Amino acid sequence: MCGMALAASLALADLYGAGGGHAIQPAVANPLAAEPLYADIVGRARELRATVVTLEATPGLKQSAAAIPLQGFDEVATKAQALSSLDMKGHVDLAARDKDGDLKCILKGISQDLPKRIADIRDAKTGPDEARALDDLAYLLDDNVGVITALPKAPV
């Protein structure tokens, strides 16, 4: 069940932009997003996303035949791990409150995906591979914000 919720969430990750722009919806529509834990997740995801977008603009990245050392990437990896832990904490919190089944599952999935996206960047062999992996991470961070700030949907 959680896998399907995460897949649906990731498939809709570009709901807030017209592709390629990684635009994040600024308004907080879900009251849950105002709670300290979830506000922290949103703030960290937005900050990390901004850093990732800056890394995507590394000169020559998209043309390089070899991977390019990304300035500050170790800090990005550390922050992504901390965000992953907070997403899992959100999952556990929602499970304990028996609240918002889809969001609970999506946060767990994002928690599991963040380290994978970091590994994809580390494992990239070319600049274009790094650029794609950074783009995937940016979309995941968009999704991290969007699923928390969006109004909860009624059960189907």
Side-chain angles (χ1 to χ4, degrees):
M1 178 80 161
C2 283
M4 291 187 334
L6 177 62
S9 171
L10 293 176
L12 300 174
D14 193 32
L15 286 175
Y16 307 113
H22 310 296
I24 294 178
Q25 184 178 17
V28 173
N30 186 340
L32 185 69
E35 292 183 20
L37 172 60
Y38 302 98
D40 191 20
I41 291 170
V42 168
R44 288 177 188 231
R46 283 183 171 147
E47 179 185 317
L48 188 54
R49 184 198 150 276
T51 302
V52 168
V53 169
T54 300
L55 290 176
E56 284 183 287
T58 299
L61 181 67
K62 294 181 181 175
Q63 296 81 27
S64 178
I68 293 178
L70 299 169
Q71 185 174 7
F73 181 72
D74 289 338
E75 184 178 351
V76 167
T78 298
K79 287 181 177 183
Q81 184 57 49
L83 180 58
S84 173
S85 295
L86 285 176
D87 281 318
M88 185 56 75
K89 188 174 179 180
H91 163 76
V92 169
D93 173 62
L94 292 173
R97 294 198 271 176
D98 196 28
K99 188 171 184 172
D100 200 338
D102 283 348
L103 179 57
K104 172 183 63 184
C105 290
I106 292 166
L107 289 177
K108 181 179 181 181
I110 290 172
S111 174
Q112 294 169 338
D113 258 4
L114 280 167
K116 292 175 187 175
R117 299 295 72 86
I118 293 297
D120 290 345
I121 297 165
R122 285 191 200 278
D123 295 343
K125 302 293 185 219
T126 68
D129 290 342
E130 283 176 306
R132 276 188 293 280
L134 286 165
D135 195 51
D136 288 347
L137 178 57
Y139 276 110
L140 184 61
L141 294 166
D142 280 347
D143 200 39
N144 206 171
V145 172
V147 298
I148 292 172
T149 59
L151 281 175
K153 296 192 176 24
V156 180

